[in-house]
Amino acid sequence: MYKFDQTKTPLFDALLEYVNNDTIPFHVPGHKKGQGMVSKFKDFIGTNVMSIDVTVFKQVDSLHKPTGAIKEAQELAADANNADHTFFCVHGTSGAIQAMIMSVVKEGDKILVPRNIHKSVTAGIILSGAMPVYMQPEIDSNVGVALNVTPETVKSTLEQNRDAKAVLIINPTYYGISTDIERIADIVHSYDIPLIVDEAHGPHLHFNDKLPISAMGAGADICAQSTHKIIGSLTQSSMLQVREGYVDVNRIKTVMSLLQTTSPSYILLASLDAARMQMATEGQELLDETIRLAKYARAEINNIDGLFCFGEEIVGEEGAYDFDPTKITITCKDLGISGHELERTLAEQYFIQPEMSDLYNILCVFSIGDTREKVDALLSALKEISKTYANRDRKKIDIIDVPKIPLRVLSPRDAFNGSTISMALEDSVGEISAEFLLAYPPGIPVLCPGEIITDEILEYVETLKDAGLYVQGTDDPEVNYIKVVNDCDQLDIITSA
């Protein structure tokens, strides 16, 4: 089982000792255990949490050079997650992903990535100077959701790019779809390069045998996990799991130290320590209940007119090797409304806030914090909404094809850092983008820096905007203007190489 005593919370205990000793703080932060905090905020949040909002000193250890409580807490986390090393992250999983990428590739190196990556992956590519080689995930045309990349896609892409230095996959996806990650790990390692995994939406997988296999369990070399998303730590707290062999652990330490703040939040760090303990000691039972509630909700939703919630039947489709049932994707296009409209109705009329919406669906994330009462409230609201729209003429919403991956003529880094001008989006066809275009959430890029802007992309973006979805990535918040590369000499050098 575990090598260490997983009931321990060394970092949280060190902070409690500091508080119980009535230590007088002549250190930052300036609110001094809440004493100097404005009353309106302090009265709401309470003084307990502010009493452990401390800075770096021996008793509570240092995130950048851990030798005490943080060191022990990270070792416990590695043991709990079947990893050789764990690094606590207080700059979100986006920062962990950037560190993961910068640890395995440098300027000019090729890295294979799925096209349905989160923008943090592209940010990591820009920071590293690497060259992305995109792999197209499979698409479920019934619900308009990207599934996952297949082992065959990974293998064929590696055969065409034998000089690649690393492969990154998303597992599971935002919608809970897993690929055959064990097979992919074997394929990638046969090329003597590391497999790194964006496991933002799978920090819970290792702790219940009814869920898909975790990245570490499947043989991945590094994975970035959003501990806060599913298993109880505070928002912005994440973990980076590492296995020795194909990666340089000292390089990872250095990059993590380079990117992370020198004033980390001990509140966030302590929440990681506590969340790990909870999962290691109670995870199987807690997640059993989460899965039970999710299956109950899925069955009930599929009995509501106009709604559909896919489940385990998707397993077996190309790109869907396994499925995390805690992700509840509710397809509403047969009601004649967009996912954005359904999300807005739930939030504004019923005070129920889904995780996100796209053109055709809303996503509800189930976790260990959900109850039958809250699930029933969601189901009751969905039934009322269905009845409302059942009496109206339903306008059919067709699935729109996501634009093809455009031609890249510059590295993302060169385009992002190069000389640029801003122009109207409608006039930008044929230009080289210096910015992103993506629908957020989930932050999947339609256009990345260095790629040629096409008519197809503009039409797709306008469709998203017309549906009320949040398109972002440009300096212009309305996404009417976009920055394009204005250095033709640079372009000639790159394209002639």
Side-chain angles (χ1 to χ4, degrees):
M1 190 60 178
Y2 298 124
K3 293 184 295 183
F4 304 133
D5 181 2
Q6 289 292 335
T7 65
K8 296 172 68 177
T9 52
L11 177 55
F12 186 40
D13 290 348
L15 291 164
L16 291 179
E17 181 183 28
Y18 165 86
V19 173
N20 292 334
N21 288 341
D22 288 328
T23 303
I24 299 172
F26 283 100
H27 58 73
V28 299
H31 63 70
K32 304 295 178 79
K33 295 185 177 180
Q35 185 68 33
M37 182 66 71
V38 62
S39 295
K40 182 178 182 180
F41 186 81
K42 181 170 63 176
D43 291 345
F44 176 78
I45 200 169
T47 56
N48 275 356
V49 69
M50 285 184 281
S51 70
I52 62 170
D53 186 18
V54 300
T55 189
V56 178
F57 47 83
K58 184 176 180 181
Q59 184 178 1
V60 296
D61 207 1
S62 167
L63 181 62
H64 287 261
K65 193 174 182 179
T67 58
I70 292 176
K71 180 176 183 288
E72 185 180 356
Q74 291 185 149
E75 287 172 346
L76 283 163
D79 180 39
N81 285 278
N82 193 30
D84 293 328
H85 304 273
T86 295
F87 297 92
F88 285 175
C89 309
V90 293
H91 57 329
T93 312
S94 293
I97 286 171
Q98 291 160 16
M100 179 169 68
I101 293 169
M102 293 173 68
S103 297
V104 297
V105 289
K106 58 184 184 301
E107 187 164 4
D109 287 346
K110 284 184 181 179
I111 179 171
L112 275 57
V113 297
R115 185 61 181 187
N116 59 324
I117 48 175
H118 187 267
K119 68 175 182 177
S120 61
V121 175
T122 307
I125 290 170
I126 288 173
L127 290 171
S128 68
M131 298 290 287
V133 177
Y134 293 109
M135 300 179 288
Q136 187 65 55
E138 303 298 319
I139 305 291
D140 186 304
S141 58
N142 183 44
V143 295
V145 164
L147 301 180
N148 218 315
V149 294
T150 64
E152 290 76 18
T153 296
V154 173
K155 185 175 182 180
S156 63
T157 310
L158 275 171
E159 287 174 353
Q160 297 165 27
N161 297 272
R162 291 179 173 270
D163 55 344
K165 301 298 184 183
V167 174
L168 180 146
I169 64 169
I170 307 162
N171 202 75
T173 67
Y174 213 156
Y175 300 94
I177 307 299
S178 290
T179 185
D180 187 349
I181 187 172
E182 288 182 281
R183 215 174 126 212
I184 289 176
D186 288 341
I187 292 168
V188 173
H189 290 157
S190 73
Y191 285 79
D192 201 31
I193 59 175
L195 173 66
I196 65 176
V197 182
D198 173 355
E199 198 176 45
H201 298 278
H204 57 309
L205 299 184
H206 180 65
F207 300 102
N208 190 284
D209 54 17
K210 299 181 181 67
L211 297 172
I213 192 168
S214 68
M216 286 290 105
D221 302 291
I222 320 178
C223 75
Q225 301 172 323
S226 290
T227 314
H228 66 92
K229 280 186 167 65
I230 308 294
I231 56 176
S233 69
L234 294 177
T235 295
Q236 200 174 311
S237 60
S238 302
M239 296 187 193
L240 194 66
Q241 311 291 355
V242 181
R243 173 170 286 110
E244 294 180 357
Y246 288 91
V247 297
D248 182 345
V249 178
N250 287 326
R251 168 73 176 174
I252 297 168
K253 289 179 183 177
T254 300
V255 174
M256 285 292 290
S257 183
L258 181 70
L259 293 178
Q260 295 220 84
T261 175
T262 55
S263 301
S265 166
Y266 280 80
I267 301 168
L268 299 184
L269 293 172
S271 77
L272 286 171
D273 194 21
R276 178 273 313 156
M277 181 275 290
Q278 183 184 40
M279 277 296 102
T281 58
E282 305 176 73
Q284 180 72 37
E285 295 78 15
L286 290 171
L287 289 165
D288 275 345
E289 176 61 13
T290 304
I291 293 167
R292 188 190 68 78
L293 281 173
K295 288 186 174 181
Y296 160 68
R298 180 171 283 105
E300 292 296 311
I301 291 166
N302 281 326
N303 286 324
I304 299 175
D305 183 36
L307 299 180
F308 171 67
C309 182
F310 70 79
E312 293 179 358
E313 76 281 352
I314 202 168
V315 174
E317 287 189 28
E318 287 292 315
Y321 181 79
D322 209 342
F323 175 64
D324 174 8
T326 68
K327 304 299 190 295
I328 300 293
T329 302
I330 304 171
T331 306
C332 55
K333 62 185 177 64
D334 288 347
L335 271 184
I337 59 174
S338 69
H340 176 70
E341 291 174 283
L342 179 56
E343 177 188 16
R344 192 175 60 212
T345 301
L346 284 169
E348 294 176 359
Q349 296 184 24
Y350 298 93
F351 304 105
I352 295 171
Q353 182 58 60
E355 166 68 10
M356 67 91 157
S357 62
D358 58 34
L359 267 177
Y360 324 104
N361 314 282
I362 62 167
L363 175 65
C364 293
V365 175
F366 279 38
S367 76
I368 58 176
D370 287 307
T371 65
R372 173 66 181 264
E373 180 184 18
K374 293 175 182 176
V375 173
D376 282 340
L378 170 65
L379 294 172
S380 176
L382 291 172
K383 289 173 184 176
E384 287 187 16
I385 293 168
S386 171
K387 289 179 181 178
T388 298
Y389 284 95
N391 298 323
R392 301 181 184 179
D393 291 333
R394 296 186 186 181
K395 180 182 177 182
K396 184 178 179 181
I397 297 179
D398 295 322
I399 300 291
I400 302 169
D401 291 334
V402 177
K404 296 175 184 176
I405 299 173
L407 176 67
R408 189 189 72 237
V409 294
L410 287 178
S411 73
R413 183 175 187 170
D414 285 342
F416 185 79
N417 290 329
S419 173
T420 64
I421 58 171
S422 180
M423 66 166 50
L425 186 63
E426 61 185 334
D427 298 328
S428 66
V429 173
E431 300 288 344
I432 304 165
S433 178
E435 297 186 288
F436 297 95
L437 280 176
L438 44 88
Y440 197 88
I444 295 172
V446 178
L447 182 70
C448 293
E451 295 176 343
I452 298 291
I453 302 168
T454 65
D455 282 316
E456 186 182 18
I457 288 171
L458 297 195
E459 290 171 7
Y460 184 75
V461 168
E462 285 305 312
T463 300
L464 297 179
K465 290 167 67 176
D466 289 344
L469 295 180
Y470 182 34
V471 181
Q472 70 168 39
T474 59
D475 280 354
D476 173 20
E478 302 299 323
V479 196
N480 293 320
Y481 290 84
I482 188 169
K483 285 183 178 178
V484 299
V485 174
N486 189 39
D487 191 338
C488 295
D489 291 338
Q490 180 190 38
L491 173 60
D492 290 338
I493 292 170
I494 299 295
T495 55
S496 62

